Amino acid sequence: MAMNEQLEKSINLYRQIIEHAERLEQLLAKGDPEQLQRYTIRLNELQAEAGLHDRELLEEMAPHSTRWSAHPLFHQRTQLLEQIVEMNDLQLPRIRGMMSVNAAELGQLKEGRAAISGYHPDAGRPKKSIRGVG
């Protein structure tokens, strides 16, 4: 595969990652754990494919790195990488915040369940004598 084709493939892979990452906002709003899990699996697949391709690309570019680093396709690829990093920097704090809120809510639910399991409706009433009075 020619170097131009490899750079174009790398650009295409990064565009797919960006398009996929742009869906996260909508998925977070829905809060559907199944959809979020599928999203994460697909994102990992896209990143793994891009990483594998880039290892091969960078190995081939290494002997001619000065020449290729000035190529317009290489600049376009670099801009896409920077965009991905920026998206991650914006989304990670939001995701961590949501995870903290979820963890706190889960903790409250567990405390509530423990309190309820310790509650016995008859525990506070005085017991009646079986023998009766008299």
Side-chain angles (χ1 to χ4, degrees):
M1 185 182 300
M3 189 62 69
N4 280 350
E5 290 173 358
Q6 286 195 351
L7 281 168
E8 287 172 359
K9 181 176 180 180
S10 181
I11 288 167
N12 183 43
L13 289 169
Y14 286 122
R15 281 189 178 141
Q16 286 180 41
I17 290 171
I18 290 170
E19 287 171 12
H20 188 72
E22 288 172 343
R23 296 182 47 228
L24 181 60
E25 188 75 33
Q26 182 183 12
L27 291 174
L28 289 175
K30 288 181 181 178
D32 181 346
E34 241 177 69
Q35 285 185 346
L36 286 169
Q37 185 176 18
R38 284 193 302 269
Y39 167 87
T40 303
I41 290 168
R42 180 63 182 145
L43 182 61
N44 287 335
E45 291 170 353
L46 289 169
Q47 290 174 336
E49 185 180 357
L52 179 62
H53 180 268
D54 276 0
R55 273 194 293 282
E56 295 169 6
L57 173 69
L58 294 175
E59 282 177 18
E60 288 187 37
M61 286 179 70
H64 312 287
S65 61
T66 307
R67 184 181 87 196
W68 283 107
S69 64
H71 195 280
L73 288 175
F74 189 81
H75 284 289
Q76 187 177 358
R77 178 185 167 275
T78 302
Q79 288 174 338
L80 291 171
L81 280 167
E82 289 170 357
Q83 187 177 351
I84 290 170
V85 169
E86 185 178 320
M87 289 176 82
N88 285 342
D89 289 345
L90 293 173
Q91 291 177 345
L92 282 176
R94 289 191 62 229
I95 293 169
R96 287 188 182 120
M98 290 179 78
M99 288 173 63
S100 288
V101 168
N102 288 340
E105 288 175 353
L106 184 60
Q108 289 174 345
L109 289 172
K110 285 180 181 177
E111 287 174 18
R113 187 173 2 153
I116 288 173
S117 69
Y119 172 73
H120 299 287
D122 296 330
R125 293 188 198 152
K127 295 186 179 182
K128 295 182 181 176
S129 174
I130 296 176
R131 291 188 226 159
V133 177

